[in-house]
Amino acid sequence: MSRTLFEKIWDAHVVTQEPDSPAVLYIDLHLVHEVTSPQAFTGLRSRGLKVRRPERTVATMDHGIPTTPLDVPIADQLAAHQIKTLETNTSEFGVRLYGMHSEHRGIVHVIGPELGFTQPGMTIVCGDSHTSTHGAFGALAFGIGTSEVEMVLATQCLLQRKPKTCEVRVDGQLAAGVSSKDIILALIAKIGVGGGTGYVFEYTGSAIRGLTMEQRMTICNMSIEGGARAGMIAPDDATIEYVAGREFAPKGAAWDAAIARWRGLPSDDGATYDSSIVLDAAALEPMITYGTNPGMGMRITERVPDPANLGDANQKLALEKALNYMDLRPGQPLLGKKVDVVFIGSCTNSRISDLRLAAGLLKGRKVADGLRVMVVPGSQDVKKQAEQEGLDTVFKEAGAEWREAGCSMCIAMNGDQLQPGQYAVSTSNRNFEGRQGKGGRTFLASPLTAAATALTGTITDVRTLI
Amino acid sequence: MAQFTTLSARQVALPINDIDTDQIIPAQFLKVTDKNGLGQVVFHSWRFLEDGSPNPDFVLNQPVAQGAQILLAGDNFGCGSSREHAPWALTGFGFRAVISTSFADIFRNNALKNGLLPVVVDAPTHQMLFDLAEEAPQATLNIDLPSQTLTLPGGETVSFPIDGFNKACLLNGTDEIGYVLGFEAQIKAFEARNF
């Protein structure tokens, strides 16, 4: 019987399932960070349990960590305590930690793939909704809560009902200046932030096949912003080439066996999905959000929608509330809108290819007067690579800040944040009220749009600069 | 695990769609290493003014919210991050159930693990409840998990869906980790087969 990529991975990981009960699903890789794990370790300790599979558990600190050099103590006492707690917990329970001073430290969804932990066919979880990122490798990867973190630490399993599947087919060729971030922002604008609830997305089609692994990660990363806990892309040559040779990738005979397994993962001909969505890549333009959730997005050349044109009373109210928070008027264009900050970073867009794109535009130019431009690499390895390529010099000479790795202003837990009322163009994943700092206003966009905006100080269509 | 069987309580209405977990509990309050005290900062950005004083216009600061144990929210409640701090903050405030037309997947799972019942109703019932919140803010709703029913003050009863396993866990206070630990032999066999 024909099966989808998701079904193959699901079937291969069901340990057992009692009648009328959820499946006990085996978890191959558990990623852990400082914010959603302390209470789970406390629970483990109070039960007198060990971490069942420490070798399948990988920890790092990313959310609360400063992006200034770490040679001085962390000023925020709460953040410092939380980071210290992760050090204590991982040490006590024998879990591998990429700690404060590790050269491989970084955002958990950047370092997992980078170090070769993330592999096709795996089940991967983390107490973080952007775990969907790892689905780019043909893995089933999704975010979990802290109670579930405790369950996985204790049992290496999760209780799960089988979700429904949705094929998101994207065919055609992207135009110049349009990137994978625009594909996912266009999808979420089309389906809304709850459109994928209950589903796992599988992205298919020629436009997806044509993307690099880093571009694929950007798409899968934001699946959760459309409500889908997981987004997946079938592994192919690009996937295998990316994983090959990484520190924790299989080696020798195990590598050959792994490739043979991975080649069997793509959905079979004739496999069916519970639902489907189609996007035409050629028709896409650079996207930007105007509101307070990632579904409130539009083509950058469009005008802010008018609540009066919405039939549904609740949607009307939501849009009015969002425009009020954003201090935007119906019918207003966003092109030319002055911003205060440009943030290039986050688990969505902080990898080397994102930084290369941004640096390509900024090279030999200056960022606009009075504008704060922050460039935050996704990991210390990305930072090192960028510095070897001289990208740091490009950013610094342009007048941008070149910082240490971390989640930074995407979640604004570490002091990197907007001031009330400020506007930012951000390559991150959420434009919720206050997400980047209380009272801050976020426009989500691609690294190209962010870099173009950095040059002019106003929201800019990158196609006018290339 | 926290139990839930029946609840007889007043509701407080937040007629906003897509309330995300950043609104329920902003990231600045995630730097904790326990689960306590988050009820004081639930909906912090909406609940408190710039100077830290309570925002009198926000419903949780109004007398109607005192003692209310049911939150009536707009569509797609709890979208966004996986932070379990969201149900910890809601239960910390005193909520024991949230009513909406839909819930984000991760939030729903997290809520169930903390004895916070997600009650899904259809659009007409949803509207009827919002109307009730306006007209009779002191009205008591009855939630009966064994029969999966929600009863309005006038006696109208609507049923709500819930996964049978989740229902049993809530009724019995089942420890889910204990349940999975009970499959040790199967887990061992799985590992032996695959690794």
Side-chain angles (χ1 to χ4, degrees), chain A residues 18 22 26 39 47 52-53 56 76 82 128 145-147 161 198 413 430 432-433 435, chain B residues 20 22-23 30-32 34 46 80 82 84 105 109-110 163 165 175 179 184 191 195:
Chain A
E18 294 197 312
Y26 198 82
Q39 300 85 351
R47 290 167 184 270
R52 183 183 171 86
R53 289 285 161 199
R56 294 183 172 274
D76 180 337
Q82 202 172 45
D128 192 288
T146 298
S147 295
R161 289 283 180 191
M413 282 184 71
R430 288 188 175 137
F432 297 146
E433 287 181 27
R435 170 77 180 187
Chain B
D20 58 76
D22 278 81
Q23 305 318 313
L30 307 186
K31 295 175 204 168
V32 292
D34 60 21
W46 293 345
S82 66
E84 198 161 322
D105 289 331
N109 284 344
N110 287 340
D163 178 280
F165 181 83
D175 169 25
Y179 172 80
E184 174 62 22
E191 289 174 330
F195 310 123

mmCIF file of all heavy atoms in Angstrom, chain A residues 18 22 26 39 47 52-53 56 76 82 128 145-147 161 198 413 430 432-433 435, chain B residues 20 22-23 30-32 34 46 80 82 84 105 109-110 163 165 175 179 184 191 195:
data_model
loop_
_atom_site.group_PDB
_atom_site.id
_atom_site.type_symbol
_atom_site.label_atom_id
_atom_site.label_comp_id
_atom_site.label_asym_id
_atom_site.label_seq_id
_atom_site.Cartn_x
_atom_site.Cartn_y
_atom_site.Cartn_z
ATOM 1 N N GLU A 18 -2.283 0.800 22.619
ATOM 2 C CA GLU A 18 -3.430 0.084 23.176
ATOM 3 C C GLU A 18 -4.701 0.548 22.470
ATOM 4 O O GLU A 18 -4.751 1.660 21.943
ATOM 5 C CB GLU A 18 -3.536 0.381 24.679
ATOM 6 C CG GLU A 18 -2.372 -0.183 25.479
ATOM 7 C CD GLU A 18 -2.689 -0.239 26.963
ATOM 8 O OE1 GLU A 18 -3.171 0.772 27.502
ATOM 9 O OE2 GLU A 18 -2.472 -1.304 27.567
ATOM 10 N N PRO A 22 -3.634 6.683 22.483
ATOM 11 C CA PRO A 22 -2.634 7.202 21.548
ATOM 12 C C PRO A 22 -1.460 6.235 21.410
ATOM 13 O O PRO A 22 -1.247 5.379 22.270
ATOM 14 C CB PRO A 22 -2.193 8.511 22.198
ATOM 15 C CG PRO A 22 -2.605 8.434 23.616
ATOM 16 C CD PRO A 22 -3.735 7.471 23.711
ATOM 17 N N TYR A 26 8.325 6.301 19.557
ATOM 18 C CA TYR A 26 9.733 6.405 19.953
ATOM 19 C C TYR A 26 10.354 7.674 19.379
ATOM 20 O O TYR A 26 10.109 8.026 18.228
ATOM 21 C CB TYR A 26 10.530 5.188 19.467
ATOM 22 C CG TYR A 26 11.844 5.052 20.212
ATOM 23 C CD1 TYR A 26 11.894 4.447 21.469
ATOM 24 C CD2 TYR A 26 13.030 5.564 19.679
ATOM 25 C CE1 TYR A 26 13.084 4.348 22.176
ATOM 26 C CE2 TYR A 26 14.226 5.466 20.380
ATOM 27 C CZ TYR A 26 14.243 4.853 21.634
ATOM 28 O OH TYR A 26 15.426 4.759 22.331
ATOM 29 N N GLN A 39 11.812 22.576 34.702
ATOM 30 C CA GLN A 39 10.748 21.898 35.454
ATOM 31 C C GLN A 39 10.693 20.410 35.102
ATOM 32 O O GLN A 39 10.265 19.594 35.914
ATOM 33 C CB GLN A 39 9.402 22.576 35.162
ATOM 34 C CG GLN A 39 9.335 24.053 35.551
ATOM 35 C CD GLN A 39 9.871 25.002 34.479
ATOM 36 O OE1 GLN A 39 10.454 24.586 33.485
ATOM 37 N NE2 GLN A 39 9.687 26.292 34.696
ATOM 38 N N ARG A 47 10.909 11.985 40.765
ATOM 39 C CA ARG A 47 10.492 10.600 40.532
ATOM 40 C C ARG A 47 11.650 9.617 40.724
ATOM 41 O O ARG A 47 11.457 8.402 40.618
ATOM 42 C CB ARG A 47 10.000 10.431 39.093
ATOM 43 C CG ARG A 47 8.688 11.099 38.770
ATOM 44 C CD ARG A 47 8.487 11.114 37.254
ATOM 45 N NE ARG A 47 7.288 11.828 36.882
ATOM 46 C CZ ARG A 47 6.083 11.258 36.762
ATOM 47 N NH1 ARG A 47 5.935 9.966 36.979
ATOM 48 N NH2 ARG A 47 5.039 11.972 36.434
ATOM 49 N N ARG A 52 16.582 8.393 30.092
ATOM 50 C CA ARG A 52 16.656 7.040 29.555
ATOM 51 C C ARG A 52 17.741 6.895 28.489
ATOM 52 O O ARG A 52 18.466 5.917 28.454
ATOM 53 C CB ARG A 52 15.300 6.647 28.957
ATOM 54 C CG ARG A 52 15.301 5.222 28.445
ATOM 55 C CD ARG A 52 13.988 4.835 27.775
ATOM 56 N NE ARG A 52 14.177 3.545 27.129
ATOM 57 C CZ ARG A 52 14.039 2.378 27.732
ATOM 58 N NH1 ARG A 52 13.661 2.344 28.990
ATOM 59 N NH2 ARG A 52 14.275 1.249 27.094
ATOM 60 N N ARG A 53 17.846 7.854 27.598
ATOM 61 C CA ARG A 53 18.812 7.770 26.504
ATOM 62 C C ARG A 53 19.603 9.079 26.392
ATOM 63 O O ARG A 53 19.350 9.890 25.503
ATOM 64 C CB ARG A 53 18.086 7.497 25.176
ATOM 65 C CG ARG A 53 17.510 6.110 25.065
ATOM 66 C CD ARG A 53 18.608 5.087 24.804
ATOM 67 N NE ARG A 53 18.152 3.750 25.123
ATOM 68 C CZ ARG A 53 18.990 2.729 25.337
ATOM 69 N NH1 ARG A 53 20.299 2.920 25.286
ATOM 70 N NH2 ARG A 53 18.521 1.550 25.620
ATOM 71 N N ARG A 56 20.833 10.258 23.088
ATOM 72 C CA ARG A 56 19.872 10.774 22.115
ATOM 73 C C ARG A 56 19.332 12.147 22.542
ATOM 74 O O ARG A 56 18.309 12.609 22.035
ATOM 75 C CB ARG A 56 18.705 9.790 21.938
ATOM 76 C CG ARG A 56 19.143 8.482 21.324
ATOM 77 C CD ARG A 56 18.003 7.527 21.067
ATOM 78 N NE ARG A 56 18.506 6.394 20.313
ATOM 79 C CZ ARG A 56 18.601 6.374 18.979
ATOM 80 N NH1 ARG A 56 18.167 7.387 18.272
ATOM 81 N NH2 ARG A 56 19.126 5.335 18.360
ATOM 82 N N ASP A 76 21.619 39.700 33.673
ATOM 83 C CA ASP A 76 20.257 39.332 34.043
ATOM 84 C C ASP A 76 20.316 38.105 34.957
ATOM 85 O O ASP A 76 20.609 36.991 34.520
ATOM 86 C CB ASP A 76 19.463 39.046 32.763
ATOM 87 C CG ASP A 76 18.017 38.648 33.036
ATOM 88 O OD1 ASP A 76 17.718 38.176 34.151
ATOM 89 O OD2 ASP A 76 17.187 38.795 32.120
ATOM 90 N N GLN A 82 18.850 30.491 35.095
ATOM 91 C CA GLN A 82 18.257 29.474 34.227
ATOM 92 C C GLN A 82 19.339 28.744 33.416
ATOM 93 O O GLN A 82 19.288 27.525 33.235
ATOM 94 C CB GLN A 82 17.256 30.159 33.275
ATOM 95 C CG GLN A 82 16.233 29.212 32.721
ATOM 96 C CD GLN A 82 15.153 29.951 31.959
ATOM 97 O OE1 GLN A 82 15.431 30.844 31.164
ATOM 98 N NE2 GLN A 82 13.907 29.584 32.193
ATOM 99 N N ASP A 128 10.080 23.400 22.039
ATOM 100 C CA ASP A 128 10.171 24.627 21.256
ATOM 101 C C ASP A 128 9.383 24.419 19.967
ATOM 102 O O ASP A 128 9.625 23.451 19.245
ATOM 103 C CB ASP A 128 11.632 24.916 20.921
ATOM 104 C CG ASP A 128 11.805 26.315 20.372
ATOM 105 O OD1 ASP A 128 11.397 26.551 19.224
ATOM 106 O OD2 ASP A 128 12.330 27.176 21.091
ATOM 107 N N GLY A 145 5.534 20.445 24.940
ATOM 108 C CA GLY A 145 5.553 21.200 26.187
ATOM 109 C C GLY A 145 6.496 20.561 27.196
ATOM 110 O O GLY A 145 7.075 19.501 26.944
ATOM 111 N N THR A 146 6.622 21.215 28.340
ATOM 112 C CA THR A 146 7.590 20.751 29.337
ATOM 113 C C THR A 146 7.210 19.404 29.957
ATOM 114 O O THR A 146 8.080 18.590 30.258
ATOM 115 C CB THR A 146 7.771 21.836 30.413
ATOM 116 O OG1 THR A 146 8.303 23.000 29.765
ATOM 117 C CG2 THR A 146 8.722 21.411 31.510
ATOM 118 N N SER A 147 5.898 19.149 30.133
ATOM 119 C CA SER A 147 5.495 17.829 30.644
ATOM 120 C C SER A 147 5.943 16.739 29.681
ATOM 121 O O SER A 147 6.359 15.651 30.095
ATOM 122 C CB SER A 147 3.969 17.748 30.806
ATOM 123 O OG SER A 147 3.534 18.645 31.789
ATOM 124 N N ARG A 161 -1.456 10.991 19.198
ATOM 125 C CA ARG A 161 -2.467 10.611 18.223
ATOM 126 C C ARG A 161 -1.900 10.926 16.846
ATOM 127 O O ARG A 161 -1.221 11.931 16.676
ATOM 128 C CB ARG A 161 -3.739 11.432 18.420
ATOM 129 C CG ARG A 161 -4.512 11.072 19.668
ATOM 130 C CD ARG A 161 -5.291 9.791 19.481
ATOM 131 N NE ARG A 161 -6.036 9.480 20.706
ATOM 132 C CZ ARG A 161 -6.638 8.316 20.902
ATOM 133 N NH1 ARG A 161 -6.586 7.352 19.987
ATOM 134 N NH2 ARG A 161 -7.295 8.101 22.028
ATOM 135 N N GLY A 198 -3.890 20.490 13.436
ATOM 136 C CA GLY A 198 -4.249 19.079 13.319
ATOM 137 C C GLY A 198 -3.531 18.344 12.200
ATOM 138 O O GLY A 198 -3.672 17.142 12.051
ATOM 139 N N MET A 413 14.232 37.869 24.971
ATOM 140 C CA MET A 413 14.375 37.477 26.384
ATOM 141 C C MET A 413 15.712 37.908 26.956
ATOM 142 O O MET A 413 15.937 37.801 28.157
ATOM 143 C CB MET A 413 14.291 35.949 26.509
ATOM 144 C CG MET A 413 12.886 35.405 26.446
ATOM 145 S SD MET A 413 12.880 33.636 26.715
ATOM 146 C CE MET A 413 13.271 33.536 28.462
ATOM 147 N N ARG A 430 7.759 35.560 14.211
ATOM 148 C CA ARG A 430 6.517 35.969 14.899
ATOM 149 C C ARG A 430 6.448 37.480 15.043
ATOM 150 O O ARG A 430 7.419 38.096 15.493
ATOM 151 C CB ARG A 430 6.411 35.307 16.279
ATOM 152 C CG ARG A 430 6.118 33.842 16.137
ATOM 153 C CD ARG A 430 5.813 33.135 17.435
ATOM 154 N NE ARG A 430 5.438 31.770 17.092
ATOM 155 C CZ ARG A 430 5.843 30.680 17.731
ATOM 156 N NH1 ARG A 430 6.605 30.783 18.795
ATOM 157 N NH2 ARG A 430 5.463 29.490 17.320
ATOM 158 N N PHE A 432 3.793 38.786 16.799
ATOM 159 C CA PHE A 432 2.788 38.956 17.846
ATOM 160 C C PHE A 432 3.039 40.266 18.606
ATOM 161 O O PHE A 432 4.175 40.724 18.710
ATOM 162 C CB PHE A 432 2.869 37.806 18.855
ATOM 163 C CG PHE A 432 2.560 36.445 18.286
ATOM 164 C CD1 PHE A 432 3.215 35.330 18.774
ATOM 165 C CD2 PHE A 432 1.608 36.269 17.293
ATOM 166 C CE1 PHE A 432 2.924 34.059 18.286
ATOM 167 C CE2 PHE A 432 1.311 35.013 16.799
ATOM 168 C CZ PHE A 432 1.973 33.902 17.286
ATOM 169 N N GLU A 433 1.988 40.807 19.186
ATOM 170 C CA GLU A 433 2.136 42.009 20.016
ATOM 171 C C GLU A 433 3.234 41.794 21.048
ATOM 172 O O GLU A 433 3.210 40.808 21.791
ATOM 173 C CB GLU A 433 0.830 42.297 20.780
ATOM 174 C CG GLU A 433 -0.289 42.837 19.943
ATOM 175 C CD GLU A 433 -1.537 43.126 20.777
ATOM 176 O OE1 GLU A 433 -1.406 43.398 21.989
ATOM 177 O OE2 GLU A 433 -2.637 43.084 20.206
ATOM 178 N N ARG A 435 6.166 40.796 20.932
ATOM 179 C CA ARG A 435 7.083 39.666 20.763
ATOM 180 C C ARG A 435 8.548 40.121 20.804
ATOM 181 O O ARG A 435 9.403 39.464 21.380
ATOM 182 C CB ARG A 435 6.793 38.985 19.419
ATOM 183 C CG ARG A 435 7.807 37.935 18.982
ATOM 184 C CD ARG A 435 7.629 36.638 19.736
ATOM 185 N NE ARG A 435 8.604 35.655 19.303
ATOM 186 C CZ ARG A 435 8.607 34.386 19.678
ATOM 187 N NH1 ARG A 435 7.696 33.938 20.500
ATOM 188 N NH2 ARG A 435 9.518 33.562 19.258
ATOM 189 N N ASP B 20 -2.388 34.387 21.111
ATOM 190 C CA ASP B 20 -1.159 33.592 21.059
ATOM 191 C C ASP B 20 -0.555 33.455 22.446
ATOM 192 O O ASP B 20 -0.911 34.186 23.382
ATOM 193 C CB ASP B 20 -0.173 34.216 20.067
ATOM 194 C CG ASP B 20 0.165 35.646 20.433
ATOM 195 O OD1 ASP B 20 0.959 35.841 21.375
ATOM 196 O OD2 ASP B 20 -0.362 36.586 19.790
ATOM 197 N N ASP B 22 2.307 34.241 23.455
ATOM 198 C CA ASP B 22 3.054 35.425 23.888
ATOM 199 C C ASP B 22 2.146 36.406 24.633
ATOM 200 O O ASP B 22 2.621 37.169 25.470
ATOM 201 C CB ASP B 22 3.690 36.149 22.695
ATOM 202 C CG ASP B 22 5.005 35.509 22.281
ATOM 203 O OD1 ASP B 22 4.967 34.495 21.572
ATOM 204 O OD2 ASP B 22 6.071 36.026 22.681
ATOM 205 N N GLN B 23 0.837 36.414 24.297
ATOM 206 C CA GLN B 23 -0.099 37.271 25.035
ATOM 207 C C GLN B 23 -0.451 36.620 26.368
ATOM 208 O O GLN B 23 -0.574 37.298 27.382
ATOM 209 C CB GLN B 23 -1.371 37.534 24.221
ATOM 210 C CG GLN B 23 -1.129 38.115 22.834
ATOM 211 C CD GLN B 23 -0.057 39.184 22.805
ATOM 212 O OE1 GLN B 23 -0.039 40.093 23.627
ATOM 213 N NE2 GLN B 23 0.870 39.052 21.871
ATOM 214 N N LEU B 30 9.462 33.888 31.184
ATOM 215 C CA LEU B 30 9.816 32.478 31.000
ATOM 216 C C LEU B 30 11.153 32.124 31.631
ATOM 217 O O LEU B 30 11.639 31.016 31.461
ATOM 218 C CB LEU B 30 9.864 32.126 29.503
ATOM 219 C CG LEU B 30 8.635 32.455 28.661
ATOM 220 C CD1 LEU B 30 8.798 31.903 27.255
ATOM 221 C CD2 LEU B 30 7.366 31.922 29.290
ATOM 222 N N LYS B 31 11.740 33.071 32.342
ATOM 223 C CA LYS B 31 13.075 32.812 32.901
ATOM 224 C C LYS B 31 12.989 32.138 34.258
ATOM 225 O O LYS B 31 13.853 32.308 35.104
ATOM 226 C CB LYS B 31 13.849 34.127 33.024
ATOM 227 C CG LYS B 31 14.147 34.765 31.674
ATOM 228 C CD LYS B 31 14.809 36.130 31.864
ATOM 229 C CE LYS B 31 14.595 37.020 30.670
ATOM 230 N NZ LYS B 31 14.972 38.414 30.953
ATOM 231 N N VAL B 32 11.919 31.397 34.480
ATOM 232 C CA VAL B 32 11.722 30.745 35.774
ATOM 233 C C VAL B 32 12.200 29.302 35.696
ATOM 234 O O VAL B 32 12.323 28.728 34.618
ATOM 235 C CB VAL B 32 10.241 30.774 36.191
ATOM 236 C CG1 VAL B 32 9.796 32.197 36.485
ATOM 237 C CG2 VAL B 32 9.358 30.173 35.095
ATOM 238 N N ASP B 34 10.687 27.103 38.006
ATOM 239 C CA ASP B 34 9.569 26.329 38.563
ATOM 240 C C ASP B 34 8.281 26.776 37.875
ATOM 241 O O ASP B 34 8.328 27.493 36.881
ATOM 242 C CB ASP B 34 9.493 26.474 40.088
ATOM 243 C CG ASP B 34 9.291 27.923 40.512
ATOM 244 O OD1 ASP B 34 8.831 28.733 39.691
ATOM 245 O OD2 ASP B 34 9.592 28.251 41.683
ATOM 246 N N TRP B 46 -1.554 43.019 28.362
ATOM 247 C CA TRP B 46 -2.907 43.584 28.280
ATOM 248 C C TRP B 46 -3.397 44.004 29.660
ATOM 249 O O TRP B 46 -4.248 44.873 29.801
ATOM 250 C CB TRP B 46 -3.891 42.551 27.697
ATOM 251 C CG TRP B 46 -3.617 42.218 26.265
ATOM 252 C CD1 TRP B 46 -2.823 42.917 25.392
ATOM 253 C CD2 TRP B 46 -4.144 41.113 25.512
ATOM 254 N NE1 TRP B 46 -2.825 42.304 24.155
ATOM 255 C CE2 TRP B 46 -3.621 41.195 24.202
ATOM 256 C CE3 TRP B 46 -5.004 40.054 25.818
ATOM 257 C CZ2 TRP B 46 -3.938 40.279 23.206
ATOM 258 C CZ3 TRP B 46 -5.328 39.137 24.829
ATOM 259 C CH2 TRP B 46 -4.794 39.244 23.530
ATOM 260 N N GLY B 80 0.990 29.711 18.542
ATOM 261 C CA GLY B 80 2.336 30.216 18.813
ATOM 262 C C GLY B 80 3.211 29.180 19.456
ATOM 263 O O GLY B 80 3.239 28.025 19.026
ATOM 264 N N SER B 82 5.471 26.718 22.216
ATOM 265 C CA SER B 82 5.155 25.479 22.940
ATOM 266 C C SER B 82 5.190 25.669 24.445
ATOM 267 O O SER B 82 5.019 24.713 25.185
ATOM 268 C CB SER B 82 6.164 24.403 22.539
ATOM 269 O OG SER B 82 7.452 24.762 22.999
ATOM 270 N N GLU B 84 4.761 25.694 28.074
ATOM 271 C CA GLU B 84 3.736 25.173 28.994
ATOM 272 C C GLU B 84 3.441 26.198 30.082
ATOM 273 O O GLU B 84 2.496 26.056 30.862
ATOM 274 C CB GLU B 84 4.196 23.833 29.588
ATOM 275 C CG GLU B 84 3.069 23.018 30.202
ATOM 276 C CD GLU B 84 3.420 21.543 30.357
ATOM 277 O OE1 GLU B 84 4.083 20.996 29.461
ATOM 278 O OE2 GLU B 84 3.037 20.959 31.380
ATOM 279 N N ASP B 105 -2.656 23.056 18.523
ATOM 280 C CA ASP B 105 -2.352 21.675 18.933
ATOM 281 C C ASP B 105 -1.479 21.584 20.190
ATOM 282 O O ASP B 105 -1.770 20.819 21.100
ATOM 283 C CB ASP B 105 -1.636 20.936 17.802
ATOM 284 C CG ASP B 105 -2.572 20.628 16.644
ATOM 285 O OD1 ASP B 105 -3.782 20.463 16.885
ATOM 286 O OD2 ASP B 105 -2.087 20.548 15.496
ATOM 287 N N ASN B 109 -2.503 20.153 24.088
ATOM 288 C CA ASN B 109 -1.785 19.083 24.802
ATOM 289 C C ASN B 109 -1.300 19.566 26.166
ATOM 290 O O ASN B 109 -1.433 18.874 27.173
ATOM 291 C CB ASN B 109 -0.558 18.631 24.005
ATOM 292 C CG ASN B 109 -0.952 17.755 22.840
ATOM 293 O OD1 ASN B 109 -2.064 17.242 22.783
ATOM 294 N ND2 ASN B 109 -0.030 17.591 21.908
ATOM 295 N N ASN B 110 -0.700 20.745 26.169
ATOM 296 C CA ASN B 110 -0.160 21.275 27.421
ATOM 297 C C ASN B 110 -1.264 21.532 28.442
ATOM 298 O O ASN B 110 -1.090 21.275 29.637
ATOM 299 C CB ASN B 110 0.596 22.582 27.154
ATOM 300 C CG ASN B 110 1.935 22.352 26.462
ATOM 301 O OD1 ASN B 110 2.484 21.251 26.493
ATOM 302 N ND2 ASN B 110 2.461 23.394 25.841
ATOM 303 N N ASP B 163 -10.895 13.708 23.297
ATOM 304 C CA ASP B 163 -10.250 12.422 23.051
ATOM 305 C C ASP B 163 -10.501 11.501 24.254
ATOM 306 O O ASP B 163 -10.345 11.920 25.411
ATOM 307 C CB ASP B 163 -8.744 12.695 22.874
ATOM 308 C CG ASP B 163 -7.942 11.428 22.661
ATOM 309 O OD1 ASP B 163 -7.630 10.730 23.658
ATOM 310 O OD2 ASP B 163 -7.633 11.131 21.500
ATOM 311 N N PHE B 165 -8.929 9.002 25.539
ATOM 312 C CA PHE B 165 -7.788 8.750 26.417
ATOM 313 C C PHE B 165 -7.559 9.955 27.335
ATOM 314 O O PHE B 165 -7.371 9.798 28.547
ATOM 315 C CB PHE B 165 -6.534 8.470 25.581
ATOM 316 C CG PHE B 165 -5.309 8.172 26.408
ATOM 317 C CD1 PHE B 165 -5.083 6.898 26.910
ATOM 318 C CD2 PHE B 165 -4.372 9.171 26.682
ATOM 319 C CE1 PHE B 165 -3.948 6.621 27.673
ATOM 320 C CE2 PHE B 165 -3.244 8.906 27.452
ATOM 321 C CZ PHE B 165 -3.038 7.626 27.944
ATOM 322 N N ASP B 175 -1.271 9.412 35.727
ATOM 323 C CA ASP B 175 0.093 9.895 35.503
ATOM 324 C C ASP B 175 0.557 9.316 34.155
ATOM 325 O O ASP B 175 0.825 8.124 34.041
ATOM 326 C CB ASP B 175 0.985 9.415 36.645
ATOM 327 C CG ASP B 175 2.456 9.650 36.352
ATOM 328 O OD1 ASP B 175 2.766 10.547 35.560
ATOM 329 O OD2 ASP B 175 3.286 8.916 36.929
ATOM 330 N N TYR B 179 2.192 5.752 32.927
ATOM 331 C CA TYR B 179 1.551 4.901 31.916
ATOM 332 C C TYR B 179 2.580 4.423 30.888
ATOM 333 O O TYR B 179 2.655 3.232 30.564
ATOM 334 C CB TYR B 179 0.426 5.698 31.253
ATOM 335 C CG TYR B 179 -0.221 5.036 30.051
ATOM 336 C CD1 TYR B 179 -1.183 4.048 30.205
ATOM 337 C CD2 TYR B 179 0.137 5.421 28.750
ATOM 338 C CE1 TYR B 179 -1.783 3.455 29.097
ATOM 339 C CE2 TYR B 179 -0.451 4.836 27.634
ATOM 340 C CZ TYR B 179 -1.408 3.855 27.825
ATOM 341 O OH TYR B 179 -1.999 3.264 26.725
ATOM 342 N N GLU B 184 7.785 -0.568 29.435
ATOM 343 C CA GLU B 184 9.237 -0.734 29.403
ATOM 344 C C GLU B 184 9.665 -1.913 28.512
ATOM 345 O O GLU B 184 10.600 -1.810 27.714
ATOM 346 C CB GLU B 184 9.765 -0.926 30.841
ATOM 347 C CG GLU B 184 11.246 -1.252 30.958
ATOM 348 C CD GLU B 184 12.164 -0.154 30.417
ATOM 349 O OE1 GLU B 184 11.738 1.018 30.324
ATOM 350 O OE2 GLU B 184 13.324 -0.478 30.070
ATOM 351 N N GLU B 191 13.888 -0.890 20.886
ATOM 352 C CA GLU B 191 15.294 -0.482 20.782
ATOM 353 C C GLU B 191 16.161 -1.642 20.285
ATOM 354 O O GLU B 191 17.062 -1.446 19.468
ATOM 355 C CB GLU B 191 15.788 0.049 22.134
ATOM 356 C CG GLU B 191 15.173 1.400 22.487
ATOM 357 C CD GLU B 191 15.511 1.896 23.881
ATOM 358 O OE1 GLU B 191 15.712 1.058 24.787
ATOM 359 O OE2 GLU B 191 15.574 3.131 24.064
ATOM 360 N N PHE B 195 18.138 -0.693 16.951
ATOM 361 C CA PHE B 195 19.478 -0.121 17.146
ATOM 362 C C PHE B 195 20.505 -1.213 17.423
ATOM 363 O O PHE B 195 20.200 -2.230 17.977
ATOM 364 C CB PHE B 195 19.482 0.900 18.292
ATOM 365 C CG PHE B 195 18.396 1.923 18.181
ATOM 366 C CD1 PHE B 195 17.483 2.104 19.194
ATOM 367 C CD2 PHE B 195 18.264 2.696 17.018
ATOM 368 C CE1 PHE B 195 16.459 3.050 19.081
ATOM 369 C CE2 PHE B 195 17.246 3.634 16.903
ATOM 370 C CZ PHE B 195 16.338 3.812 17.935
#
